[in-house]
Amino acid sequence: MLSMLTASLSKQHGVEISDKWIFALADNNTHLNCDKECVGFSDFYGDGDYKLIIADKGAGKYNMYLKVYKGVTFIGESVLVDLPTGILSFSSESQSQAHDPVVPSVAVATGTSVLIFKNLKPFYKYTLPALEPNPDEVKAWQKFNGGQITPDQLHIILTKIKEQIGMGDLSPRSQNYLVIPESDREHFLAQFRDKPVTRPQTITAITALKRSSSDLETADTFVIATENGNIYIVDPYAYHVLEHVVVPTAPVFLLSNGAYDVEYRIAIVTRDSEVYIMKRGIVSNKPVISMRSDIVSVCMVKKQLVLACNDCSVSFYSLKGKLYNRMKMDQPIVCLEPFFYTPRQYSGVFVVHAKEIKLYTEMNMVDSIRTQNTIKWIKYGKFGREEGGLVIGFLGGGLAMSTFRRTANLEETSRAKQMSVSNQPGRSAYVPKKTKIYVDHTIRERDMAVKMHQIYQRDLFMLKLDTARTYANLVNKPAVETVTAKTHDSLEFTVDVNGFGPEFILRASVQSKLPMDPSISRSLVYQYDSKIYSVPESLICLPPLIHGKTYRFSNKVKVLQPEAFQSQDIRVLLVEKGAPMALAIAVVTMPISELPMFD
């Protein structure tokens, strides 16, 4: 009944959802102007209720605000002084350091600075270090300010410098002067007369990186990319640069994985559709991934880079640049968004088209959402008090919100599609998904890895010690005592015991120094306690003994109850038919049996 009501409500707002989602709210009159990079979720007040935070671009120069929504209800805003390029929520203190809940901060990248907000109030403004301008460019502006050259001569000199070093290495003042119409040059020069030439860095992308653990709610650092190809990792405590690397071209997307103090990877996607990987403060010399088409959107799912290109393809790569798989879509791709639902260990990727959102898990489409309005961006994550909240932003500025149903089952849909694909000729067999028991065991082993390794090392050491002791006892302690009658000293008779139990082998050796006599009949007789041991052949008949030849006979001895740890001597007698006494007697001191390794 609830599914029918939510489906009916969603259709009234132009959104068709499946039974895996609960349609929550919608508002077509928010009039928002923002990109996917300027939308996020934040536990704004530290109460566990995640709010929607949006850096609204307004009209491009005016009406730019940081806005906060609870559902679709507007609850607050703060003015932005420059065009925003990215937004993120980060924690500047560890939750373990204080009993009070940690209130995250919001960082908004605008122009050349990062604005830090706490409780929707401006807290700090971090400005990136400026670059040194070109010396020839500085001299040209100094000569103009001194009246040594005219505006036309300044334009010619800057044009020559641009041809030598490129447009991107000029200061913003020189770049603007070279592109503005000739009629506006006089007014432009009057604004900057007698002012020093500076070369600030414009921020193109920003993302967060965990400091000490990628799983816990620990303090974050944020990673900043600039138009000049500089990548900075900034400490949120003192706002100083921890790492700085340079890539050849301007970055447009940043993705992070891991923790700064442990092990981390940062994927840097540039305008040339190339991907560089940064780790331990070092960036790869050449791109690990080069795409033939322009990259329109990226995301990271389980340490896999997912790239969407304008040729309608979605590619899955490892962080080392290995191609795992590639899908071809039937329509252009607007953006990508990672999907994860921790309570049921679901993960996948949203592929967003103009009027449709497709959810893929393990290369199988398990769900789709259709809309009547054109989609501009989507954002998925913790929203409100729900683990899975999906916010859809439309081209006209409207919003629609849905939550992932807690009882939704994606495994059955994925398994059915995998089975249908695997039944086709030439397809590999279906591999079942990891079960919850397996996931719980892996989590336990990961959390207790050090203790498990210590126990393993201790048991291995004790095993080696017991083995060495047993071997020393077998070598140093005589296990066989042989008594031979004086009248038959010409017979050599020995018995050895081999094995650790519960099965032993008794090896008897007999050699005669007398001429062979076929009329003499000799035998080996085993005397033992039948309550402790079992011997399948208690009597072995010997052939006629040839002079000087050694005869060897083996017999198995099985311990009936090895867990009792009992042992008793076994007597082996060499007897001759018609003789009043045994020719030789060997008393074997049996060792204590080890427990069986397999039942």
Side-chain angles (χ1 to χ4, degrees):
M1 186 64 179
L2 180 61
S3 301
M4 296 176 62
L5 289 176
T6 56
S8 176
L9 181 62
S10 65
K11 288 182 179 180
Q12 292 179 8
H13 291 85
V15 181
E16 297 182 9
I17 61 175
S18 65
D19 57 353
K20 299 178 178 63
W21 298 90
I22 300 175
F23 186 79
L25 300 165
D27 188 355
N28 295 324
N29 299 316
T30 54
H31 304 295
L32 294 171
N33 179 20
C34 61
D35 299 325
K36 176 177 176 291
E37 290 74 21
C38 295
V39 182
F41 300 104
S42 176
D43 186 6
F44 210 74
Y45 300 110
D47 55 357
D49 188 359
Y50 283 78
K51 312 297 190 298
L52 177 66
I53 54 175
I54 296 177
D56 188 6
K57 296 182 179 180
K61 290 185 178 180
Y62 309 101
N63 299 326
M64 294 176 291
Y65 293 95
L66 168 63
K67 297 184 177 181
V68 181
Y69 289 84
K70 182 177 181 180
V72 294
T73 304
F74 174 74
I75 62 174
E77 65 181 14
S78 186
V79 178
L80 300 177
V81 296
D82 205 345
L83 194 67
T85 56
I87 190 172
L88 59 88
S89 175
F90 71 98
S91 173
S92 58
E93 55 180 327
S94 178
Q95 193 169 3
S96 61
Q97 295 177 358
H99 298 288
D100 297 333
V102 174
V103 178
S105 303
V106 176
V108 182
T110 60
T112 62
S113 304
V114 178
L115 305 180
I116 310 299
F117 294 87
K118 282 192 174 182
N119 294 325
L120 206 56
K121 297 179 180 180
F123 175 74
Y124 188 78
K125 179 181 180 181
Y126 174 74
T127 303
L128 292 174
L131 301 178
E132 288 293 332
N134 184 270
D136 296 335
E137 179 188 357
V138 175
K139 290 180 180 179
W141 281 101
Q142 289 176 350
K143 288 181 179 180
F144 172 77
N145 292 331
Q148 300 177 13
I149 58 176
T150 63
D152 293 337
Q153 291 174 336
L154 175 63
H155 191 276
I156 294 173
I157 294 174
L158 293 178
T159 303
K160 292 181 179 179
I161 297 175
K162 182 196 73 171
E163 294 174 354
Q164 293 175 359
I165 65 175
M167 191 73 163
D169 292 333
L170 291 176
S171 65
R173 181 196 302 184
S174 299
Q175 293 179 14
N176 292 331
Y177 184 66
L178 290 175
V179 298
I180 61 175
E182 186 175 355
S183 59
D184 298 334
R185 291 178 184 175
E186 184 177 355
H187 177 69
F188 179 83
L189 293 173
Q191 292 179 344
F192 294 98
R193 184 175 293 275
D194 297 329
K195 292 183 179 179
V197 179
T198 59
R199 192 183 168 196
Q201 301 189 78
T202 303
I203 299 175
T204 58
I206 186 172
T207 189
L209 174 66
K210 291 293 183 181
R211 185 63 187 260
S212 59
S213 175
S214 59
D215 297 328
L216 303 177
E217 293 293 335
T218 58
D220 297 305
T221 62
F222 47 86
V223 188
I224 303 173
T226 68
E227 185 73 28
N228 303 93
N230 292 300
I231 310 296
Y232 298 94
I233 300 180
V234 182
D235 181 14
Y237 290 99
Y239 295 99
H240 68 273
V241 176
L242 298 174
E243 300 289 351
H244 171 222
V245 298
V246 182
V247 293
T249 55
V252 290
F253 299 109
L254 290 176
L255 296 171
S256 65
N257 178 264
Y260 176 78
D261 292 337
V262 184
E263 185 74 17
Y264 70 92
R265 298 287 189 277
I266 298 176
I268 307 165
V269 184
T270 66
R271 285 202 184 100
D272 295 337
S273 297
E274 295 176 338
V275 181
Y276 294 83
I277 298 298
M278 174 184 174
K279 62 177 181 179
R280 297 178 182 176
I282 301 174
V283 69
S284 53
N285 296 326
K286 58 182 181 179
V288 296
I289 302 172
S290 295
M291 306 300 292
R292 296 181 180 179
S293 302
D294 293 337
I295 299 175
V296 297
S297 184
V298 296
C299 70
M300 186 174 292
V301 179
K302 286 186 175 180
K303 297 183 180 181
Q304 288 188 17
L305 282 176
V306 188
L307 308 177
C309 299
N310 61 359
D311 61 351
C312 304
S313 66
V314 179
S315 305
F316 297 79
Y317 285 89
S318 69
L319 291 176
K320 294 183 178 180
K322 180 181 178 182
L323 177 62
Y324 287 141
N325 217 322
R326 179 170 290 160
M327 298 187 301
K328 192 72 175 179
M329 300 291 110
D330 56 352
Q331 51 185 319
I333 300 170
V334 176
C335 65
L336 299 175
E337 179 69 12
F339 168 77
F340 52 89
Y341 191 68
T342 307
R344 305 199 69 171
Q345 300 293 329
Y346 291 155
S347 63
V349 60
F350 289 103
V351 180
V352 183
H353 302 289
K355 294 185 178 182
E356 186 179 10
I357 303 172
K358 298 178 181 178
L359 175 58
Y360 288 86
T361 61
E362 299 179 356
M363 303 300 296
N364 296 308
M365 191 181 77
V366 295
D367 194 25
S368 66
I369 300 174
R370 292 179 173 86
T371 63
Q372 294 179 0
N373 299 325
T374 303
I375 301 172
K376 187 176 182 180
W377 53 265
I378 69 167
K379 201 69 178 179
Y380 177 85
K382 289 184 178 180
F383 187 36
R385 299 189 181 274
E386 294 293 330
E387 286 286 337
L390 178 64
V391 180
I392 306 174
F394 298 105
L395 193 60
L399 293 177
M401 303 177 184
S402 302
T403 58
F404 188 72
R405 195 181 295 271
R406 298 177 183 177
T407 58
N409 191 345
L410 298 180
E411 294 180 356
E412 295 181 357
T413 308
S414 178
R415 186 181 300 113
K417 293 199 173 186
Q418 287 186 359
M419 290 293 290
S420 63
V421 171
S422 62
N423 291 333
Q424 298 178 5
R427 294 284 185 173
S428 58
Y430 163 68
V431 179
K433 192 179 180 181
K434 298 174 184 177
T435 62
K436 188 177 185 302
I437 297 177
Y438 172 80
V439 173
D440 293 342
H441 277 292
T442 55
I443 294 175
R444 181 179 62 86
E445 291 175 1
R446 182 183 61 186
D447 295 340
M448 304 180 65
V450 176
K451 186 175 181 181
M452 292 175 63
H453 181 69
Q454 292 174 350
I455 295 175
Y456 166 75
Q457 292 290 344
R458 182 199 65 189
D459 294 346
L460 179 62
F461 175 78
M462 295 303 298
L463 177 62
K464 292 180 179 179
L465 180 62
D466 292 342
T467 304
R469 285 176 177 173
T470 304
Y471 178 76
N473 292 335
L474 292 176
V475 172
N476 299 327
K477 183 178 180 180
V480 180
E481 181 183 354
T482 304
V483 181
T484 307
K486 294 182 179 180
T487 55
H488 297 280
D489 288 341
S490 57
L491 285 174
E492 293 184 2
F493 177 52
T494 58
V495 180
D496 296 327
V497 58
N498 300 103
F500 294 95
E503 290 187 357
F504 298 93
I505 296 180
L506 295 182
R507 302 183 186 277
S509 171
V510 181
Q511 183 181 9
S512 175
K513 297 182 180 180
L514 299 174
M516 183 184 67
D517 188 356
S519 60
I520 300 176
S521 177
R522 300 186 180 90
S523 303
L524 293 178
V525 179
Y526 294 83
Q527 294 181 351
Y528 58 92
D529 189 346
S530 60
K531 297 180 180 179
I532 301 176
Y533 300 106
S534 171
V535 181
E537 298 182 16
S538 58
L539 177 65
I540 299 178
C541 297
L542 304 182
L545 302 179
I546 301 176
H547 173 72
K549 184 177 180 180
T550 302
Y551 295 83
R552 294 180 176 84
F553 306 93
S554 299
N555 202 358
K556 291 185 179 180
V557 177
K558 184 177 181 180
V559 181
L560 299 179
Q561 297 179 350
E563 62 277 3
F565 298 104
Q566 297 178 346
S567 66
Q568 194 175 27
D569 294 344
I570 294 180
R571 296 161 58 88
V572 183
L573 288 70
L574 176 61
V575 299
E576 181 178 326
K577 186 177 180 179
M581 58 182 298
L583 302 180
I585 301 175
V587 180
V588 182
T589 303
M590 297 295 294
I592 297 177
S593 172
E594 298 285 345
L595 294 175
M597 296 183 62
F598 304 100
D599 294 334

